[in-house]
Amino acid sequence: MTILTQLKKEHTFKKVNCFQKLSAMPIQGKPVLSAARVLAVDDSRLITTLVERALADEFQVVTANSGSDCLNILAADSNFQVIILDVLMDDINGMDLCRRIKATSEWSHIPIIFLSGLDEPSEIEQVLEAGGCDFVLKPFNGVELKESIRLHTQFRATQCVRPERNTGRVLLLEDDRVTSASVQKFLELQGNDVHALGSGDSIIEILDRFDPDVVITDIEMPGLNGFQVTSQIKQSRRHQHIPVLIISGQTDRETVLRGLQVGAEDFVRKPFNMEELNARVRNFIRYKNLVDVLHRTSEYARHRDSVTGLANKTSIMSHIESVGHRNGSAALLLVRIHDHAKLTQAYGEKVSDLALKTLAACLEDALPMALAVGRVESDVFAIVLETYSETRAMRIAEWIGELLDKPIHVGRNEFRWQCTIGFAIMQGHELNSSAALRRAMMALYHAKDHKPVAYDAQMEDSETLMLQLESDLFGAAERNELQLFYQPQVSLTTGEISGVEALLRWIHPKRGMVSPSVFIPISERIGAISRIGSWVTQKACSDWKQLNRELGMSIPISINISPVQFRDHALVSDLSSTISKTNIPFDALELEITESCSMSDVSQSLDILGSLGQCGFRLSMDDFGTGYSSLSYLSQFPLNTLKIDRSFVGNVVNDNRSRAVTSCIVSLAKGLSLNIVAEGVENQEQMRYLKNLGCQTAQGYLFSPPVRFESFKAQFADQVFSPRFLELETGGTHEQ
């Protein structure tokens, strides 16, 4: 079932038209984002005219008023990125026309969006199964139609990935002509495209031109030797993922070790067996292809919120940076929804998610002037406006507040959002995403009721929020304001709790729960992160000891290590000291390090991780898939676990790219004999898919939100997740 079919079944209610366009305010149009050509087909000239007008500012639109006209146009010129197709037409109905288009090889790649007044789930599913990729109801909304076109043109762009194969492009660097000729001829006979050179000079320029899947290099060559070539490849951000195979007659321990230290994946002794060389090349091509697919298909999934479909925090930050690159100005508005948790408790997760989707759709419909609309925290929405003065931004913020005060209908339920709004204006010379988010967050903390608050420079003074938080943070642990919440990690085989992550929370006596995205950067800036990290380690060890003593728990507790902590030279000794004082096993702790942190200085990371691994700590790479790990370095890190980032898990059921990314991560983890934990699992469909894929462990709100220690203690004692899994295994149902 496609994502649109599922959404149409969930959205059986009418979309709330609570957000009307601003009437007395000049609206700046959205910049043209794409020159995609769209073919709109409908037997009603009125509909094709309306479609053309709705899309004209962003797309090149060609219209056809019958199925026959559509086929004639495609036969003459098939250079279209999207086809918009009516379901019911006089000469050829939409479903038959779609099948004919998909059956023609020259046209089959073009995404088809159906446009129709039909809204029954069975009818929607039929037309989508005919080959369509999306469905927009009449009377259509121009914003929704544009978003669908953008989605599928972007999707097509990310589909240009090479299928898994055992042959590829090989760069051969060998100054001995006889050896070079024989290797080249043999590998070409196996189906490879081999580019042979007698020197590795200007290696980066060569890689830019040839883009090989594997590099084979001799050690002794004129100019750069094989070690220098390998080192330059591994230090290049663009090319560090390319496997390097060193061939040499020198096979003493020191030479081989030096080759591996500079980053080579393998070392083959001369004279070598051609079949063995080809087998090694074939394996590297296969793994290189997995890595390529992983990173080429991850970009879209990384930038979408899994619940609302809006831009996520990463995308919002990127949009702000893009304005800065244009030396423009931007307003960042943050809207905090205060009733989300209560709504979930009262009506359940499905109704809560539908309410968020409704709000997201209304915000997008009502804010066509926005550069981006997104969700940056579970209860915080963000709007990026380009070239907006504080006065105009305040008017929009006030207007949003008024609209959110109106009743919202989700199914049979009616309620009103309670929200606060804060925003910041940034100019080109000072515009960066981190500063914009920090300032908008400061304004948001000062906001009350529906009255928006603009960031003011005075908020940076001694009596402002951030300095108050800095001051309050110093004694937070001693005042018992810092607490560890625990989120279980559940085995997808047995349903038992097989691990648990400790998550730091700050419960401020006046401000309530302070977001980790606010206080962790503060703690790093004021130099308190190591002290807070030591407190976290001490508390996690004490809690593990209590659980072990009272309940016999032996599973590890995972704690997060911040980038600042990771680079602290005292990290290993401090952690070891805490373990010794609490007298628990080293492997009772699993240390989570983000992929981006580990790859920022690979040599240093290898040393630190090696020391931690030798002590006996378990090591986990968090947020895997969001960076660009070289396969050679990943295989050298002494890891126990890979954690699949929630941005992929959230879309894994309905999005082909997220499925491809997740499948690649699972394959890589299995190949490296690592445990796999999927973060952010929120529903049973995601859990079933991950289990069938071979993912061993899952963590997320489907099982439990992060809870206080006593609550987790009860969870572990009861192993409350086993019955749910038993029901799923036998085809039963479980009420959420």
Side-chain angles (χ1 to χ4, degrees), residues 510-726:
K510 294 181 180 179
R511 303 186 183 280
M513 190 81 75
V514 181
S515 170
S517 65
V518 173
F519 76 81
I520 292 297
I522 292 176
S523 67
E524 292 178 337
R525 187 169 64 251
I526 65 177
I529 188 64
S530 294
R531 180 167 51 84
I532 291 175
S534 296
W535 179 89
V536 169
T537 306
Q538 176 69 44
K539 186 69 171 69
C541 290
S542 298
D543 288 349
W544 187 94
K545 190 170 184 178
Q546 181 179 342
L547 289 167
N548 175 261
R549 182 178 63 251
E550 297 179 8
L551 301 175
M553 187 187 89
S554 59
I555 61 173
I557 290 180
S558 300
I559 61 173
N560 291 278
I561 304 297
S562 79
V564 173
Q565 283 180 276
F566 188 66
R567 302 302 174 196
D568 188 337
H569 63 85
L571 174 67
V572 178
S573 60
D574 288 349
L575 289 170
S576 300
S577 175
T578 302
I579 290 290
S580 299
K581 288 178 182 177
T582 52
N583 194 28
I584 69 171
F586 278 85
D587 61 4
L589 280 190
E590 183 162 86
L591 310 178
E592 294 192 8
I593 296 95
T594 63
E595 181 181 13
S596 57
C597 171
S598 64
M599 294 304 296
S600 61
D601 186 334
V602 174
S603 178
Q604 184 182 13
S605 296
L606 282 168
D607 291 340
I608 296 171
L609 292 173
S611 298
L612 292 170
Q614 288 176 1
C615 289
F617 291 107
R618 294 179 60 83
L619 299 173
S620 171
M621 182 172 285
D622 198 11
D623 301 336
F624 185 72
T626 60
Y628 206 147
S629 295
S630 167
L631 183 63
S632 63
Y633 293 135
L634 187 62
S635 63
Q636 292 178 57
F637 289 159
L639 298 174
N640 302 97
T641 303
L642 284 186
K643 296 191 77 174
I644 306 174
D645 187 64
R646 64 182 65 248
S647 62
F648 305 127
V649 174
N651 296 306
V652 76
V653 174
N654 299 312
D655 184 79
N656 289 334
R657 285 152 295 186
S658 294
R659 286 198 293 271
V661 170
T662 305
S663 178
C664 287
I665 293 174
V666 172
S667 296
L668 285 172
K670 287 181 178 178
L672 296 171
S673 300
L674 300 177
N675 298 324
I676 313 161
V677 177
E679 292 186 292
V681 178
E682 296 185 352
N683 57 58
Q684 293 173 353
E685 290 80 8
Q686 293 169 353
M687 187 272 295
R688 289 193 190 98
Y689 179 84
L690 291 164
K691 182 180 180 182
N692 291 334
L693 195 63
C695 182
Q696 301 143 337
T697 310
Q699 172 182 349
Y701 275 70
L702 173 64
F703 311 104
S704 171
V707 296
R708 297 176 190 270
F709 175 70
E710 291 301 326
S711 297
F712 172 72
K713 185 177 174 182
Q715 286 179 343
F716 185 80
D718 296 340
Q719 288 291 333
V720 295
F721 308 112
S722 296
R724 173 180 295 177
F725 273 74
L726 291 174

